[in-house]
Structure formats: structure tokens, C-alpha cells
Amino acid sequence: MRGLFVTFEGIDRSGKTTQAGLLVEALRDEGVAVREPGGTELGERVRDLVKDAALDAGPRAEALLFAAARAQLVEAVIRPALERGGVVVSDRFLDSSLAYQGDARGLGVDEVERVNRFATGGLLPDLTFLLELDPAEAAQRAGMLDRFEDEGLALQRAVAEAYDRLADASPGRWRRLDAGRPAGDVHADVMVAVEAARAAARA
Ligand code: TYD
């Protein structure tokens, strides 16, 4: 039996990490948590590279670094876990590259999608949660500044619009959640959708 692949997307500080954690906890032994970039030794090293504000990396190089980390994660962790029937929960995945590199940074969603299709062998999530939060509100949530986050509100707004377009284009896979609510309320909606997807997969 094939498992279920669930991803969380949204602008910086929209609560993805919290929600991914709550879901994995609720799934107990069946849940497999991964994050992007990261989740493998190669991925964690790429994470250090792309987060280093002192490193000069153009948008194409950056997109390829994210794709390389993703390729390793899919091959070494995600596909094996799905084949075992697990529920893989990823804090960001392919759609982050489409929104940040493809759309907000102007590389083109189709181009970035092509590169990523090669990287992942075409693997797509079964279910993707979009945590929707006003970028100005997200900016007020505490967090460390890094290469991405200190680029400010304009980038976050562009990313939010990019996610909106992606969700509109594939409504079957995306679930929009109002992330301005308490984490427990958001989590309750997540559980309803995940249970429905699991029931559908079993049917
Ligand atoms: P991270 O600390 O994981 O941010 P967050 O907690 O908000 O998810 O940093 C990841 C940063 O990398 C984030 O600003 C989004 C960016 N990113 C991309 O631009 N493209 C990608 O494909 C991925 C996975 C992340």
C-alpha cells in the first residue's frame, strides 16, 4: 500500500513548522517528518549554503541548490517512506520553489517546474495546506532574520500572491487555511482534511 504525502506551504512565519509538528505528533508511528531544504545530510548542508547571507548566489544557482536538496530527500527518505505506507509530512516542498524562485524571483514557474520534475521524478504531494496569513501580520511574529526573511514585506507579498495562483490552478490538491487563528484551531482543520484523504486512499 502506498502512503500519503502531505506538505505545508505559506509565507515565512505563517506557522508551517508548528502545524507540521502537530500533525506528525498526531500521526504517531505512521508520521514521517521532513523539512526543506534539509532532511538529509546533503539537504542540511544545502540549507546552510542558501541561508548564508554572505554567499553570492544568483537566482538560478539558488533554484538548482533547492532542487538538488529535494532530489536527495525524495530518493533517500520520501519515496521509501511512502512505499512502506507511511504518512510523509513535509515543511515546504516543490511549491516553495515555484512560489519563491519561479514567481517572486522571476525565473518563471514553468521553468522551475521543469527542473523540479527532473529532481523529484515527478512526485507530487497528495495534499498541500496553504497557511494564509497577511504578510504584515507575519512580519510581526518573532523570528530571526536571515537571507530570505530580511528581504522584507515586498517579497512576502509577492510570494503570497504566487501561492494564491498555484492553489487556484490545482484546487484538488490544495487546502487553504486561515493561519491567523490559534494553532489548535488550524490543526483541527488539518486533521479533518488528512483523515478524509486517508479514508479516500483506503477506499
Ligand atoms: P526556513 O527557515 O525553513 O523558513 P520557514 O521557517 O519560513 O519555512 O527557511 C527557508 C527559506 O527558504 C524560506 O524563506 C523560503 C526559502 N525557500 C525557497 O526560496 N525555495 C524553496 O524551494 C524552499 C524549500 C525554501
Side-chain angles (χ1 to χ4, degrees):
M1 184 192 130
R2 192 185 171 278
L4 192 73
F5 183 23
V6 181
T7 60
F8 285 89
E9 298 284 354
I11 60 171
D12 296 353
R13 288 177 229 167
S14 54
K16 297 175 302 298
T17 306
T18 301
Q19 290 303 323
L22 289 171
L23 175 57
V24 167
E25 211 173 290
L27 291 166
R28 294 163 174 271
D29 290 351
E30 285 172 277
V32 177
V34 296
R35 71 166 180 182
E36 281 217 341
T40 64
E41 194 184 341
L42 183 145
E44 293 296 332
R45 290 205 208 171
V46 167
R47 183 182 184 87
D48 291 342
L49 278 178
V50 296
K51 290 201 135 199
D52 182 353
L55 185 70
D56 180 21
R60 283 169 191 271
E62 190 179 274
L64 289 167
L65 284 170
F66 282 119
R70 187 164 297 132
Q72 186 66 17
L73 185 66
V74 166
E75 185 177 309
V77 181
I78 298 179
R79 280 197 197 276
L82 291 174
E83 273 155 27
R84 287 194 303 270
V87 180
V88 177
V89 178
S90 190
D91 184 353
R92 297 192 180 279
F93 191 64
L94 157 80
D95 299 296
S96 285
S97 283
L98 301 183
Y100 284 78
Q101 281 68 52
D103 202 323
R105 293 200 190 277
L107 288 180
V109 172
D110 291 346
E111 288 259 285
V112 175
E113 221 226 309
R114 260 201 296 281
V115 167
N116 274 275
R117 203 176 306 144
F118 172 73
T120 64
L123 180 71
L124 283 175
D126 298 298
L127 195 58
T128 299
F129 292 105
L130 177 54
L131 298 183
E132 296 188 299
L133 186 67
D134 177 52
E137 207 176 308
Q140 286 169 2
R141 292 185 172 182
M144 271 175 40
L145 288 185
D146 65 25
R147 181 195 169 93
F148 290 92
E149 286 162 350
D150 67 9
E151 285 186 42
L153 215 50
L155 176 73
Q156 299 301 319
R157 287 199 202 288
V159 169
E161 284 169 20
Y163 275 129
D164 194 46
R165 282 190 283 273
L166 290 169
D168 270 352
S170 314
R173 167 163 76 88
W174 289 80
R175 300 287 181 280
R176 294 171 186 267
L177 298 174
D178 172 2
R181 297 171 297 157
D185 295 3
V186 179
H187 175 61
D189 288 355
V190 167
M191 289 310 294
V192 169
V194 168
E195 289 308 333
R198 295 179 84 191
R202 278 193 295 265

